[in-house]
Amino acid sequence: MPRCLHIYESGVQCVDESVPDGDFCGDHDVRSGGFDHLEEDAWRRVFRRFVAFLLLVLFLIPLLYSLKSLYWGPPQSPVEAR
């Protein structure tokens, strides 16, 4: 069997054998799905959406006031602009 093609940060190649019909061992093979069995917690998902909403509001409110001060004011006549 051929060796796994994974190269560590130190430059050393993995010493395990590759899986059949693959180039990497079971630990380094993306197809083996090492994290497929993990499911996201519902509370974590709700918390992440809440934080995303807060960040969106934090960035959109100043943008809204900037646009309001620039474009939503009453139109000025050319005489008043001088």
Side-chain angles (χ1 to χ4, degrees):
M1 277 269 201
R3 286 177 57 181
C4 174
L5 295 179
H6 179 77
I7 305 293
Y8 293 106
E9 289 180 12
S10 63
V12 178
Q13 184 178 6
C14 178
V15 295
D16 294 337
E17 293 181 352
S18 64
V19 294
D21 299 328
D23 296 326
F24 298 97
C25 64
D27 293 334
H28 298 118
D29 191 15
V30 177
R31 294 178 293 161
S32 66
F35 296 102
D36 288 344
H37 64 281
L38 297 177
E39 293 183 16
E40 188 174 9
D41 186 29
W43 285 109
R44 184 177 190 163
R45 195 172 351 145
V46 169
F47 177 72
R48 193 172 64 218
R49 288 182 182 177
F50 179 71
V51 169
F53 175 74
L54 284 179
L55 288 173
L56 183 69
V57 168
L58 282 174
F59 285 108
L60 285 182
I61 287 178
L63 179 68
L64 176 71
Y65 280 109
S66 297
L67 291 176
K68 182 179 177 183
S69 66
L70 288 174
Y71 298 112
W72 289 344
Q76 295 181 352
S77 66
V79 176
E80 292 177 12
R82 292 182 194 176

